[in-house]
Structure formats: structure tokens, C-alpha cells
Amino acid sequence: MNIKRAKQEIKDAIEAYLLKDEYGDYVIPTLRQRPVLLLGAPGIGKTQIMEQVARECGVGLVAYTITHHTRQSAIGLPFISEMEFGGRKKAVTEYTMSEIVASIYGKMKKTGLKEGILFIDEINCVSETLAPAMLQFLQCKTFGNHPIPEGWIIVAAGNPPEYNKSVREFDVVTLDRVKKIEVEPDYGVWREYAVRTRIHPAVISYLDARPAHFYQMESTVDGRRFATPRGWEDLSRLLEVYEKLGKKADKDVVRQYLQHDKIAGEFANYLELYRKYQSDYGIEEILGGTIREVTLKKLTHASFDERLSVVNLLLSGCIERLRKVREQELFTEALFARMKAAGATLNDSNFTAAEDGIPQVLEELRGEVEEQRCRKKEAELLTKDEEKHLLRLADTLLSYENTLKSEHPTDGPAAFEILRRLFGEQRARYAGEQEDGSAALEHAFDFLEAAFGDSQEMVIFLTGLNMSEAAVAFLQTTDCERYERYNKRLLFSESDREIRDEIARLK
């Protein structure tokens, strides 16, 4: 299955394993909660989805790459203790707590989360001395003499033998005790993720034209040659930063991430063309409403790769604007909730705070936001975007607080009028972002209709919009007649194609 389905399977397993009955006991006893075993090629996202699953399920996560551990760190160190048997004291060997089990208890103490995921990576590549402990771990949910705490789900990952010479095959007894999931690369699924996480548009555009280059693993006389989703994503992040620094990534830089000479060379060449298309076609001009006849004429005679690149450049520009609209919308809603709370206090007839005490209303609200951010971050349930959102909210409340201090309102209602004015400015910014996003989308449709008409390029553009959460959220609340018209046609075409495929299968 693909990584998206594998992620959902893990989430479903966690939900099932952590379900409790009316007496507080797990419906599926711990003994019957099979560890999940993910098997798949390296670099396809097995490790990455675990962080997403933990956040989305609201549980803790302890992750280990087991090949970095010795037998002693995994199961604990031996020590001699004294026990009484039949009235006589005997020296017996016991073990200190496993470092891995201890980490789970440490995580529970740090985050306050009593349930979670223990993720063990490269589980089928352990050393010969540690292999028996791993089999015991999967079969009995223990490291040495120490069981995994109740409420913690085991997920393990490994690579198939063809990708790693150190792989050890599990026996039938072990495999019969795990929930085995085999994961395969799937560009369509990864593309959804790429749009959502803002992978560099040049990467998406290149792989749209050459999806076979998304994942390559070849054995040659000179060793392995490969390109993986992990490599594409890491390269994308570097390209973003390089652009901010005014640097360019050439073939030598690309090869450091895509260790496949042919693919690295082709992408490096494509990257140069992509930058050229961005300038030659005046993408920002188009999104600003300027369409030049010479541009349309040039595109008419362009290759498919070039046309696809221009469509993706337009799509990227639109999605970036709509993403800003979505961020502004969520921020404005969160700020409105705080202003509503401030208004309830400041307009209360019982509010009699002195002039210097009025800004404290905002200070308390800011403290609540900071406390929420710190609590979620400590529990490792906060994404980067969510943290930036809360930091921005706290900064805005601080600026409002400083404005109240400088303008010296005489009472609560006067202070609230100042806040109303400040919030009005924020809403105006949001309205401006909406107008810019809507205008860019309309201009993109103007250009696409003039250049391609009702064609596959329009389908590519519509499909890209439908993959973006920000674009979908925007289009659910903002009228765009051409989006609705083309999208209905696209959905009809897809339904018709599926029906024809089904008929063909039945013949």
C-alpha cells in the first residue's frame, strides 16, 4: 500500500488499541495489541509519518534507531542482588531498566501524556547479539525484564533485504505476532503531501513530467544509484533557502541529494529552465493582470514540458497567495476570540481597574496564549506553522497592550474602542489579502483560457488547486464562477473515465 494508506492504518490501529470499556480497561488487551511492522524501501517516509500520527492522535512519541544501540543499552546492564529462597539468601542477576523503556517513562513525565507510540526503526538490521532481544520485544513487548508501559503502542520499521545487506529475516513465529504493512512509493500520494507542505514548485513540476524519477533505486558496478522522496524533500528545502540567500543550486549541489547522476543532471538542467520560464513569461505580471500577446504566441509553440512548467508556476503563485489568505483568516478568527474576551471584561459594569490596570487585561490574554504554546510544545503536539501562529498572536496582543499604555484610556469602554479600531485594521488587512488572492486566481484563469482554452493544461491547474488545502478552503467561501464551471466538467470527466474503465474490466 502507499504511505498515505499506511498512515491511516496506523492511526486506526492506535484508535482501536487505546479504546477503553466502561471500566477503564483496554477493549483489546495489551497481549493482543499486535506491534505494527512497516516494511518498505528507504526514504519513502516511514519515519516521518510517525511524528504526524502522534500529533494527530494526541499521543506521545519515543523514537529509536535500533542499530545505534548495543545489547546493554537496549535491555539494561546486569547487577547482582540478593533474594531469599526457602529461607536462604541467594545472589541473583538482575538488570537495570532498559534505556528505551526508561525513555518512555521520561517522556510521560515530561509531557504528561500517558499513552503513546514507541517507534523502533531499522528493526531488522540489528546486530547478532541484539537480534534475540528484538524478537522478544516484538513477541512479548518487553526489553529484558522490563515491559513496555501499558497504553504505549509498538510500531517498528525496516527495509526489505534488497535494500540492505544487514537485514535479518523474521521467522514465522514472530511474523505471526505483528501487524505487517508493506509500503510502496506512490508519486500521486506524495504530490498531495508536497503541495500541502510547500515543496519547491520546480520539484513538483519536474516530477509531474517525469514521475518515474520520483523513486529510483539501481545497482551498478559503481554501487547504488538512487533518488528518494526524502532526497527530493531535503533538496526542496535547500532550494528555498538558497533563493533567499541569492544562491543557485547547480548539478554538483543537486547530486548531493539525488545520488543518481542522470536524474540529478536532468533536474539541474530543468531548474535552470524553470527559472528562465519564470522570468521570460512574467508570471508575476500575469497574476497581476497583464497578459502580453507575445507571451501567448510563444507558449503556443512551446513543448509540453515548457507549458507544464508555466502552468505549475501560475499554480504555485496562486496557491502561495491563497495560503496567505488562509493564514490571515485563521489568525483573524483567533484574534477576534481574544478581542471578544477582552470586550467582555472591559465593558463589564463591575470592571473598575485603574488606568494603569487596563492593559493588564491584554497581558492576561497574552499569558494564556503563551501558556498554550508552551504546553503544546512541551507535549510535542505543535507543528511549526501552529507555533508561528501562536507567536504572532502573542506579539499582536503585546502591541495592542502597548497601544493602550500609550493612549491612556480612562475606562473600560474607552479601552475597548481602541481595541475595536486596532482589530478593524487587522480585518482590513485580511480583506486585502482576500482581494489579492481572488484577483490572482481570476487573472490565472484569464491567461489559461487565452493560452490553452479548455485543455489538459486547465485540468492540471484545476487538479493542483484541488490538492491544496488553502485553495480548497478559499474556494469554499469565495465565489469563482470559472473554477466552479471547470471543476464540474473535470469531475464529470473523471467520473466518465472511471465508468469506462470499469466497463473495460468487466469485458
Side-chain angles (χ1 to χ4, degrees), residues 18 27 96 105 142 260 272 325 332 382 408 439 497:
L18 298 183
V27 174
T96 59
Y105 285 105
T142 63
H260 190 294
E272 285 296 321
V325 174
T332 303
L382 197 63
H408 306 295
R497 181 183 60 79

Side-chain angles (χ1 to χ4, degrees), residues 35 105 138 195 239 242 257 282 374 385 395 408 447 488 507:
Y105 285 105
L138 289 174
V195 172
L239 293 176
Y242 265 30
Y257 292 84
C374 292
D385 285 345
D395 286 346
H408 306 295
F447 181 81
K488 283 179 183 177
K507 286 181 178 179

Side-chain angles (χ1 to χ4, degrees), residues 53-109:
V53 168
R55 277 198 306 268
E56 293 169 18
C57 292
V59 298
L61 174 66
V62 172
Y64 274 92
T65 300
I66 202 63
T67 50
H68 297 166
H69 281 268
T70 64
R71 184 174 185 275
Q72 288 76 19
S73 63
I75 69 173
L77 292 170
F79 67 93
I80 304 299
S81 69
E82 201 173 67
M83 297 182 70
E84 187 173 306
F85 299 98
R88 300 182 64 182
K89 291 183 178 180
K90 299 286 185 180
V92 295
T93 302
E94 292 194 65
Y95 285 85
T96 59
M97 180 174 282
S98 158
E99 178 186 320
I100 296 173
V101 176
S103 293
I104 297 176
Y105 285 105
K107 179 71 70 171
M108 289 193 288
K109 182 178 180 181

Side-chain angles (χ1 to χ4, degrees), residues 6 69 161 201 214 297 359-360 388 392 418 427 432 441 474:
H69 281 268
F214 167 62
K297 198 169 185 179
Q360 290 179 1
K388 286 179 181 178
R392 182 185 174 193
I418 294 172
R427 292 199 64 171
L441 192 58
F474 178 85

Side-chain angles (χ1 to χ4, degrees), residues 4-294:
K4 182 179 180 181
R5 174 68 188 277
K7 176 183 172 182
Q8 188 59 50
E9 287 292 326
I10 295 170
K11 290 177 69 174
D12 290 345
I14 290 171
E15 186 177 350
Y17 289 169
L18 298 183
L19 181 67
K20 294 181 178 179
D21 61 22
E22 63 272 26
Y23 301 107
D25 296 322
Y26 291 110
V27 174
I28 300 177
T30 302
L31 182 64
R32 296 300 175 192
Q33 294 179 4
R34 289 192 170 201
V36 177
L37 177 60
L38 286 174
L39 291 177
I44 62 173
K46 300 188 298 294
T47 303
Q48 192 175 51
I49 63 169
M50 298 316 304
E51 296 176 1
Q52 300 169 19
V53 168
R55 277 198 306 268
E56 293 169 18
C57 292
V59 298
L61 174 66
V62 172
Y64 274 92
T65 300
I66 202 63
T67 50
H68 297 166
H69 281 268
T70 64
R71 184 174 185 275
Q72 288 76 19
S73 63
I75 69 173
L77 292 170
F79 67 93
I80 304 299
S81 69
E82 201 173 67
M83 297 182 70
E84 187 173 306
F85 299 98
R88 300 182 64 182
K89 291 183 178 180
K90 299 286 185 180
V92 295
T93 302
E94 292 194 65
Y95 285 85
T96 59
M97 180 174 282
S98 158
E99 178 186 320
I100 296 173
V101 176
S103 293
I104 297 176
Y105 285 105
K107 179 71 70 171
M108 289 193 288
K109 182 178 180 181
K110 177 184 176 182
T111 64
L113 299 171
K114 302 303 181 186
E115 298 173 326
I117 303 165
L118 172 60
F119 177 63
I120 304 294
D121 199 9
E122 298 185 12
I123 194 165
N124 56 351
C125 296
V126 296
S127 64
E128 187 174 344
T129 57
L130 193 52
M134 288 302 98
L135 297 180
Q136 180 193 30
F137 164 66
L138 289 174
Q139 293 177 13
C140 306
K141 301 183 178 67
T142 63
F143 272 116
N145 298 330
H146 305 286
I148 304 302
E150 190 178 46
W152 281 74
I153 312 304
I154 296 171
V155 180
N159 299 323
E162 60 266 30
Y163 297 108
N164 195 321
K165 295 177 182 178
S166 304
V167 164
R168 294 175 175 277
E169 295 284 354
F170 289 128
D171 57 32
V172 174
V173 175
T174 302
L175 289 175
D176 196 34
R177 286 173 167 81
V178 300
K179 179 182 171 73
K180 181 183 174 185
I181 299 176
E182 295 184 359
V183 188
E184 297 179 347
D186 186 321
Y187 175 61
V189 167
W190 187 83
R191 194 187 192 285
E192 293 179 27
Y193 165 81
V195 172
R196 188 172 65 253
T197 57
R198 304 195 290 277
I199 294 296
H200 196 285
V203 171
I204 296 176
S205 185
Y206 175 83
L207 292 176
D208 279 350
R210 299 166 183 80
H213 290 181
F214 167 62
Y215 191 92
Q216 287 283 322
M217 187 71 67
E218 299 173 4
S219 296
T220 70
V221 292
D222 297 319
R224 290 276 191 180
R225 297 194 309 168
F226 56 88
T228 68
R230 181 193 295 131
W232 285 112
E233 181 166 3
D234 291 347
L235 175 59
S236 166
R237 303 309 175 200
L238 182 82
L239 293 176
E240 291 174 12
V241 176
Y242 265 30
E243 288 175 359
K244 291 178 182 177
L245 296 173
K247 297 178 181 291
K248 286 190 176 181
D250 58 15
K251 182 179 178 180
D252 289 335
V253 174
V254 172
R255 193 187 287 124
Q256 295 163 19
Y257 292 84
L258 307 176
Q259 297 181 44
H260 190 294
D261 282 347
K262 181 184 176 184
I263 294 176
E266 287 191 17
F267 178 71
N269 292 336
Y270 178 82
L271 192 57
E272 285 296 321
L273 286 173
Y274 190 85
R275 296 186 187 113
K276 186 174 182 295
Y277 297 152
Q278 192 168 22
S279 173
D280 289 356
Y281 283 96
I283 299 301
E284 288 303 313
E285 280 190 354
I286 293 171
L287 294 176
T290 301
I291 300 176
R292 302 185 188 279
E293 192 65 34
V294 65

